[in-house]
Amino acid sequence: MAGRQPGATDEQEDTETESEEDTPEPRTLKIKRGEEEIEIPETEAIELAQKGYDYTKKTQAVAEARKAVEERAQAIQAQEQYLAQQFAVQQTLIKEVAKVEAINDQIAQYEALDWNAMSDSDPVQAQKLFFQYQQLTTKRDRAVEELRHKEGQAMQVQQQRREQMLAQGMQQLVKDIPDWGAEKVQKVS
C-alpha cells in the first residue's frame, strides 16, 4: 500500500476512513434575504435567530422607553398649558383687584368730604358729588362681584385639576401595583 504510513495497520486505516465518512456535513438551511434565497449553515441560522430575538427585545424596550418619554412630554406640555392658563387667570384677577382698589381710592376721597358743610354752602354741588359717590359705590360693588365670580371660577378650575391629577395618580398606582384597590387605600390612609 503506497500511501500507507509506516507502522500503520489496515485496521487503523479503515477507522480513519470510516470516521471521515461518518462525520456528517453541516446542515444548511434556505433563508430569504431580501429578494434572494440563500443557503446558510444551521449554526449561522441559529446565531441569526438569537440576534433577531435580542434585537426584538431591545427594540421593544426602546419602544417602551420612547412611549414613556412621549407620555411624560405630553404630561409636561399639559402642565405647561395649565400653568399658562393659571398665569393668565392670575393676571386678570390682579387687574380686577387693582380696579377695585382704584375705585376704593376714589370713594375714600368722597368719604373724606364734609357733606354737611358742602350741603350748606353749595347744595347743588353737594348733590352732584353725592350722586357721583353713589355711582362709584355701585361700580365698586359690581367690580367686587365680578372679582368674586372670577375667583370662584379659578378655584373651580383648580379643584377640577386636583381631581384630575388624583385620578391619574390612582390609575398609575393601579398600573404599578397590581393589587391596588380600595382596601389598600384604607390600609395606607
Side-chain angles (χ1 to χ4, degrees), residues 10-40:
D10 286 339
E11 250 181 62
Q12 286 176 336
E13 270 186 35
D14 288 343
T15 307
E16 286 176 15
T17 307
E18 283 177 18
S19 60
E20 286 176 13
E21 291 173 4
D22 287 347
T23 306
E25 287 187 33
R27 287 181 43 189
T28 59
L29 301 172
K30 288 184 181 182
I31 64 167
K32 200 168 191 179
R33 203 176 262 172
E35 295 293 320
E36 180 182 358
E37 193 171 287
I38 61 171
E39 284 192 25
I40 60 170

Side-chain angles (χ1 to χ4, degrees), residues 167-179:
Q168 288 174 345
M170 283 299 255
Q171 286 176 347
Q172 190 65 39
L173 284 172
V174 168
K175 181 179 173 185
D176 292 344
I177 304 171
D179 61 338

Side-chain angles (χ1 to χ4, degrees), residues 46-60:
I46 291 170
E47 185 180 326
L48 287 172
Q50 289 171 340
K51 285 180 182 178
Y53 176 75
D54 290 343
Y55 176 78
T56 300
K57 280 179 49 178
K58 289 176 183 175
T59 302
Q60 288 171 343

Side-chain angles (χ1 to χ4, degrees), residues 31-131:
I31 64 167
K32 200 168 191 179
R33 203 176 262 172
E35 295 293 320
E36 180 182 358
E37 193 171 287
I38 61 171
E39 284 192 25
I40 60 170
E42 181 180 30
T43 56
E44 187 178 336
I46 291 170
E47 185 180 326
L48 287 172
Q50 289 171 340
K51 285 180 182 178
Y53 176 75
D54 290 343
Y55 176 78
T56 300
K57 280 179 49 178
K58 289 176 183 175
T59 302
Q60 288 171 343
V62 168
E64 288 174 15
R66 175 182 235 157
K67 182 180 177 187
V69 167
E70 287 173 355
E71 287 173 355
R72 184 69 180 141
Q74 288 174 349
I76 290 170
Q77 187 177 19
Q79 182 69 17
E80 286 174 349
Q81 288 174 345
Y82 172 74
L83 291 174
Q85 289 171 346
Q86 287 303 305
F87 180 75
V89 167
Q90 292 301 320
Q91 291 297 322
T92 301
L93 292 176
I94 288 169
K95 288 177 184 175
E96 295 293 323
V97 168
K99 182 176 160 182
V100 169
E101 287 302 314
I103 295 171
N104 280 337
D105 289 344
Q106 290 176 343
I107 290 173
Q109 290 174 2
Y110 283 98
E111 289 174 343
L113 294 176
D114 184 358
W115 290 102
N116 290 330
M118 189 176 287
S119 293
D120 291 341
S121 65
D122 190 356
V124 174
Q125 182 64 21
Q127 191 175 22
K128 286 181 184 178
L129 290 175
F130 188 73
F131 181 70

